[in-house]
Amino acid sequence: MNPPILVCGTGIAGLACALGLSRAGLPVALLGPRHPPALRPADDYHPRVYAISSASQALLDRLGAWRLMDMRRVTPVETMEIHGDAQGTLDLSAWQDARDTLAWIVESGEIERALQQAVQVMGLAWHEDHFLSLKTSPDGVQVTTQQGRQWHTPLLVGADGARSPVRQAAGIQHDYTPYGDMGVVAHLDIGRAHQNYACQWFTGDSVFALLPMPDTANGPQASLVWSMPESQARQWMAMDTDAAQTWFASHAQAITGGRLGALRLRTHPQGFPLTLERSAMTAPGVALVGDAAHRVHPLAGQGLNLGLGDVDTLLQVLSTREAHRPLGDPRLLARYRRRRAEPVIAMGLVTHGLHRLFATPCVPLAWARNQGMLVANQIPFLKRQLIRAAAGN
């Protein structure tokens, strides 16, 4: 029997990759700790949520994970409202491109739970150990773990996160640019029904986004993703509950103008540093997917979708390879790298460009960017193209 492809990393990207390889009939094993997400009560939600695009939803469905999710915890997004820092607005609705949904808001813990359940159903080998080092040979990669175990694999997939030990051990070039900002997340009680709208405001030095969530016993709720200067974020997160709510309420009202009524924190804010990162994605016998390969600003909500795009492309390359090519063939890795280059670079340019565009206080530029939004809002063809790009189609 051929040695299995070894997928290092047991987060969303790693689980999805291992499932896809197994469903394609390829030998595969997982390497990494097993952290089963805790089952949460009906009104208790994981602090981190993702906007799942149509392309990502289709992949999760093919993997058998989408049908395992609790649909009571999944919220469709039918319309996206984008507000500039002056009078600029842009409304994108699913019906403008003959769709039912623009995206789905799902907790990270719910996605992981469904993927882990699918992995268990498929009976995939799962080695609960940590990657330590690798040694490349002509016919594959020798992997050593922290417990001293060794495996030979024709292909090592690094899905082990932004600080990827696999990427470092393989010597893959990696560019890292910190924004000096943090993404702060929290769940909110909202005063008005969200009606499956997602709303986003550019304020100049921050991006304030409200994502629709399932209603709770106390009424409607939304998830907050607020990109702001790191010093401001740390001050807010360090406040006690009452002070954090008072500070938030005053700022949120000024930003949203009461669009969703009074906003009240349901959970204490949590944050993570924002960076722009991109790697070369491959080395002899090694391929990277997800955050191990790249990270982008969250203002477009496309980070996870970009990583699942890596997984989908790698699956296509490996499952359609010529019969004579081994799984770690350099030509296959080159195909994967080339196919991912354009979408990864394009998403990085879009998110970084938008961040820089709205962070620049120049008055003429502020007028131009808001006028541009108003003009775009009047062009149906352009709106359809934006919707299709966000959907991954």
Side-chain angles (χ1 to χ4, degrees):
M1 181 178 177
N2 294 327
I5 298 171
L6 193 60
V7 178
C8 181
T10 53
I12 292 174
L15 292 168
C17 191
L19 268 173
L21 291 167
S22 178
R23 284 185 169 272
L26 299 173
V28 61
L30 275 162
L31 174 63
R34 192 190 302 258
H35 298 301
L39 292 175
R40 293 176 175 265
D43 284 355
D44 182 23
Y45 290 83
H46 193 280
R48 190 78 182 269
V49 301
Y50 291 109
I52 300 298
S53 69
S54 296
S56 293
Q57 186 272 341
L59 172 63
L60 293 171
D61 193 37
R62 292 197 303 274
L63 298 180
W66 188 259
R67 69 201 69 172
L68 296 176
M69 293 184 197
D70 184 349
M71 289 296 115
R72 294 170 298 181
R73 304 182 74 94
V74 177
T75 308
V77 177
E78 297 173 4
T79 299
M80 180 73 187
E81 281 185 4
I82 305 170
H83 301 264
D85 52 348
Q87 301 302 314
T89 59
L90 179 61
D91 297 328
L92 302 175
S93 295
W95 64 264
Q96 293 166 344
D97 193 43
R99 298 170 182 263
D100 294 325
T101 306
L102 292 177
W104 292 263
I105 306 302
V106 192
E107 305 154 85
S108 63
E110 182 63 14
I111 302 173
E112 289 185 28
R113 185 197 62 77
L115 286 168
Q116 287 192 17
Q117 187 175 344
V119 164
Q120 185 176 3
V121 169
M122 293 292 291
L124 270 62
W126 189 327
H127 306 292
E128 297 187 57
D129 200 346
H130 294 269
F131 171 88
L132 180 62
S133 63
L134 64 82
K135 184 177 180 181
T136 304
S137 64
D139 60 344
V141 179
Q142 189 80 21
V143 174
T144 302
T145 72
Q146 289 185 0
Q147 295 180 11
R149 302 174 183 173
Q150 290 190 332
W151 281 284
H152 179 80
T153 177
L155 177 63
L156 174 63
V157 179
D160 49 345
R163 304 282 74 83
S164 176
V166 169
R167 185 186 67 223
Q168 297 176 38
I172 296 175
Q173 178 186 349
H174 183 72
D175 298 324
Y176 173 95
T177 303
Y179 280 109
D181 292 345
M182 294 191 76
V184 183
V185 297
H187 293 324
L188 314 174
D189 289 321
I190 58 178
R192 297 177 185 168
H194 53 64
Q195 297 180 314
N196 299 113
Y197 276 54
C199 303
Q200 187 174 57
W201 288 264
F202 289 89
T203 71
D205 65 345
S206 73
V207 184
F208 186 101
L210 296 177
L211 307 176
M213 292 280 287
D215 291 347
T216 71
N218 294 326
Q221 70 163 336
S223 183
L224 169 71
V225 183
W226 193 355
S227 306
M228 62 171 65
E230 184 173 356
S231 58
Q232 185 180 48
R234 294 195 181 281
Q235 290 175 6
W236 182 31
M237 291 187 294
M239 297 178 186
D240 63 35
T241 301
D242 290 340
Q245 171 57 36
T246 300
W247 184 90
F248 171 72
S250 63
H251 285 75
Q253 175 64 28
I255 292 171
T256 68
R259 169 66 180 80
L260 291 176
L263 306 180
R264 184 167 187 82
L265 293 170
R266 296 187 70 238
T267 61
H268 201 77
Q270 302 179 32
F272 51 93
L274 302 183
T275 57
L276 176 66
E277 304 180 40
R278 191 169 76 234
S279 77
M281 297 194 72
T282 64
V286 178
L288 303 180
V289 299
D291 283 356
H294 43 68
R295 296 186 78 187
V296 295
H297 197 286
L299 61 84
Q302 293 296 314
L304 178 61
N305 294 319
L306 200 62
L308 290 176
D310 297 339
V311 171
D312 202 9
T313 300
L314 184 61
L315 295 178
Q316 292 173 27
V317 168
L318 295 180
S319 61
T320 60
R321 76 190 190 283
E322 298 88 340
H324 67 277
R325 294 199 188 281
L327 291 166
D329 190 291
R331 292 174 180 82
L332 296 180
L333 295 179
R335 287 176 196 171
Y336 168 65
R337 186 173 61 248
R338 286 196 303 270
R339 292 184 191 181
R340 291 309 292 160
E342 182 178 350
V344 170
I345 292 172
M347 186 57 67
L349 289 174
V350 168
T351 56
H352 186 66
L354 284 172
H355 175 265
R356 293 291 299 273
L357 176 65
F358 280 92
T360 302
C362 172
V363 173
L365 186 57
W367 177 87
R369 65 196 176 216
N370 284 277
Q371 284 299 118
M373 294 178 70
L374 291 171
V375 171
N377 205 38
Q378 303 301 316
I379 304 176
F381 172 77
L382 180 56
K383 295 171 80 167
R384 287 195 298 272
Q385 296 305 113
L386 291 172
I387 291 169
R388 291 171 188 176
N393 303 133

